[in-house]
Amino acid sequence: MPQTAGPGVTWGRVLVIFAAGLGASGQFAKIAVLFPAWSQAYPQAGAGLGFLLSMISLMGVVLGLVAGMLVSRTGFRRMMIWALILGGGLSALEALMPPLPVMLALRGIEGLSHLALVVAAPTLMAEITTDRARPMAMTLWSTYFGVAFVIFALAGPGLLALAGLPAVLLAHAGWMAAMALLVALALPDDRAIGHEADPGRVAHPEERLGLAMVLRRHVQAYGSPWIAAPGLGWLCYAVSYVAYLTVIPPFLPEEHRQLLITVLPVLGIVVSLTLSAALLRIFSAVSVAVAGYLLAATSVLTLALWPASPWPSVALFCCMGLMQSGGFASVPQINRKPSDRALSNGGLAQMGNLGNLLGTPLLLALTGTMGPMGLVWFGLVAYLSGAAIHLCAAALRRRAT
């Protein structure tokens, strides 16, 4: 029998949510990891091909908190099922390889599926686990993005050789459909976890989800140190993760470059599941996240001191594992109501997508004018800002209590 996370809740259910989350991160990975194949499929697109990735990010930036509100009103399990069905259907349509404008439109709609999943899944995971089990569950969730990239890096070339990009897209569609069925069968109904009984689920039931209400909730969310801190801190992580993976390879020692490109994304996953999981049993999630930011800032300083060494980059991506797990675990730790957790996860998705959108162009601009020192200043500003956000928010929370 699987180990239980609480009365009537098993780690098997946590793994089901994690597996569904891999489908969401796959919506990015199926483009990013296999980008050369997409360039061959749409050779006329030029630089515009980047919109295949950024369409999902744009949707997240615009609608992140809206997704948090909708998920809280609709139900976490119900929203996951519909998001998985929608995402699977869109991936199947993409396998037809339509003209680029149509593909971009499909990717834009797919952003809605992605948003709903990355808000509903971690919120539901926090709800079905006990206080003791929750840090480990959220640590597992924090690896979902990196794990999907590794899976696509391993399986993608074989699928491409089998039948090109349609094989990759149909495999992703099949995964999403299977996960929708598994979520429906394995996870408890929303009423069984008290979602409908949550008095904070809808602050004003008579309010309709209109522009005025959306703007008001943005002000409420980003004015709250409890709700806003995980997302604002996550922006400082997200702005650097994909940016460093994309920009840093030419600056790595040539003799270690290919190995490091493969290993660096895995390091954060390993640290999250080992060292970070152990630290979360002793320290608060915010403390673990702050430690990650400060250690990362130190590691980018060593890039300036030893630019020819691979170890500063290794240290940096290890530190990112602390940021990942601490960031996600802080959402349920400092927000007690499911509605606040959903809103906080919506903000985290919004800021994460904003970071993905801005990070790579910004770092390219800095390294283009400053060379390797651009890597250093970029990281220092991002990581010291992340630590400051969490520390200031913690101070405000202490003052409020």
Side-chain angles (χ1 to χ4, degrees):
M1 293 291 290
Q3 182 186 357
T4 60
V9 178
T10 68
W11 279 104
R13 285 174 171 172
V14 171
L15 292 175
V16 167
I17 297 174
F18 178 75
L22 293 180
S25 50
Q27 292 170 320
F28 271 98
K30 68 185 182 184
I31 305 292
V33 175
L34 306 173
F35 201 74
W38 287 95
S39 299
Q40 294 174 11
Y42 294 99
Q44 77 285 4
L49 196 65
F51 284 107
L52 282 176
L53 268 178
S54 62
M55 284 301 294
I56 283 188
S57 292
L58 283 171
M59 295 296 286
V61 172
V62 174
L63 298 174
L65 277 185
V66 175
M69 289 180 263
L70 285 173
V71 165
S72 183
R73 289 177 176 225
T74 305
F76 311 126
R77 173 181 172 273
R78 188 181 304 124
M79 185 61 82
M80 281 186 67
I81 292 170
W82 284 111
L84 287 162
I85 292 171
L86 175 63
L90 288 166
S91 216
L93 288 174
E94 291 164 4
L96 300 174
M97 301 303 291
L100 184 60
V102 177
M103 181 67 84
L104 289 172
L106 292 174
R107 288 289 289 169
I109 301 170
E110 195 174 8
L112 299 176
S113 164
H114 178 82
L115 259 182
L117 283 170
V118 299
V119 173
T123 308
L124 180 56
M125 190 180 285
E127 286 306 295
I128 67 170
T129 50
T130 63
D131 290 344
R132 179 179 175 82
R134 193 170 297 127
M136 184 60 204
M138 301 315 297
T139 294
L140 176 65
W141 175 257
S142 75
T143 68
Y144 83 106
F145 207 78
V147 169
F149 271 64
V150 172
I151 290 172
F152 272 85
L154 294 174
L159 290 171
L160 285 176
L162 179 67
L165 283 172
V168 176
L169 295 167
L170 287 174
H172 181 253
W175 181 268
M176 298 289 271
M179 289 303 104
L181 179 61
L182 191 57
V183 167
L185 294 175
L187 298 185
D189 186 85
D190 290 305
R191 288 170 294 183
I193 61 169
H195 172 264
E196 305 235 344
D198 174 27
R201 183 167 64 97
V202 182
H204 302 285
E206 72 280 2
E207 276 190 313
R208 297 191 175 214
L209 192 61
L211 179 60
M213 187 259 197
V214 168
L215 292 175
R216 187 159 51 250
R217 293 306 294 274
H218 273 75
V219 172
Q220 172 196 344
Y222 287 112
S224 164
W226 291 267
I227 296 173
L232 293 175
W234 193 252
L235 171 63
C236 301
Y237 160 82
V239 80
S240 71
Y241 182 77
V242 175
Y244 273 128
L245 279 179
T246 305
V247 178
I248 209 170
F251 296 96
L252 295 172
E254 189 171 353
E255 64 272 22
H256 303 297
R257 187 174 300 160
Q258 196 55 49
L259 176 62
L260 287 171
I261 290 171
T262 305
V263 168
L264 289 179
V266 181
L267 293 175
I269 298 171
V270 173
V271 170
S272 286
L273 294 175
T274 54
L275 175 61
S276 194
L279 291 174
L280 285 169
R281 292 180 176 274
I282 305 170
F283 303 103
S284 72
V286 169
S287 298
V288 172
V290 168
Y293 285 114
L294 294 178
L295 289 170
T298 303
S299 70
V300 295
L301 275 177
T302 63
L303 278 172
L305 297 174
W306 299 291
S309 171
W311 294 111
S313 298
V314 169
L316 172 60
F317 277 84
C318 286
C319 296
M320 287 186 183
L322 299 177
M323 299 180 216
Q324 291 169 8
S325 54
F328 274 110
S330 68
V331 172
Q333 196 169 93
I334 63 179
N335 294 283
R336 306 307 298 178
K337 292 191 296 185
S339 56
D340 288 344
R341 290 172 178 173
L343 204 58
S344 188
N345 278 319
L348 194 146
Q350 190 171 43
M351 292 296 102
N353 280 290
L354 181 61
N356 289 336
L357 196 62
L358 298 178
T360 301
L362 180 57
L363 185 53
L364 282 170
L366 286 172
T367 54
T369 56
M370 303 174 65
M373 285 305 298
L375 298 171
V376 177
W377 284 111
F378 178 81
L380 282 176
V381 172
Y383 300 138
L384 292 178
S385 296
I389 286 167
H390 276 293
L391 290 172
C392 290
L396 289 171
R397 288 194 299 271
R398 285 194 298 269
R399 187 179 301 171
T401 55

